[in-house]
Amino acid sequence: MTSISMILIGLLGILHLGFMYLEMFAPKALQAKSFGMPLAFVTQLNAQVALKNQGIYNGALGVVLLLSLWLLSGSGQIATLRLLAGFVIVVGVYGGATVTKKIYGLQALPGALALISLFF
């Protein structure tokens, strides 16, 4: 795996930990602004439960991406990272289509760049 791939995967993992922070721990006003949602909606209990649930998944994905850089090696590492980057792309495309277009650039594009780098 190239240094560029390692950097892109590392950044992708950190990015997902950032998403986790926004979804689980950020002030509600920042959540509303970040996700383009009305503050009145974000303050509802059901919205908070949904955001925190999504945050758990993003956090887990971020941790697994980062741990895969250190704990795995060889073809198993490459296959795992390709699969995870593919998941990021799928979720980013779905989020871009259903929530806000900016998710294409914030999630799907970094996932695609990381995936492409894993083929060189």
Side-chain angles (χ1 to χ4, degrees):
M1 180 166 47
T2 68
S3 297
I4 297 292
S5 295
M6 291 182 73
I7 290 168
L8 290 174
I9 292 294
L11 290 173
L12 194 60
I14 292 167
L15 181 65
H16 278 80
L17 292 176
F19 293 154
M20 179 191 75
Y21 165 77
L22 284 172
E23 293 160 348
M24 296 186 75
F25 306 113
K28 291 172 181 60
L30 181 57
Q31 289 175 329
K33 181 180 177 187
S34 297
F35 300 113
M37 298 177 183
L39 182 57
F41 173 74
V42 171
T43 58
Q44 294 178 20
L45 178 61
N46 288 340
Q48 282 297 301
V49 169
L51 282 168
K52 288 176 182 6
N53 188 295
Q54 190 171 322
I56 289 286
Y57 284 98
N58 275 314
L61 182 56
V63 167
V64 171
L65 282 162
L66 295 172
L67 286 178
S68 294
L69 288 174
W70 288 290
L71 298 179
L72 301 177
S73 62
S75 61
Q77 180 188 47
I78 299 295
T80 300
L81 292 173
R82 285 178 180 167
L83 180 65
L84 293 170
F87 288 159
V88 169
I89 294 166
V90 169
V91 171
V93 168
Y94 183 79
T98 60
V99 179
T100 177
K101 303 271 187 257
K102 71 180 181 179
I103 295 176
Y104 289 128
L106 291 173
Q107 191 169 16
L109 180 61
L113 293 174
L115 180 62
I116 290 166
S117 75
L118 290 168
F119 284 96
F120 296 100

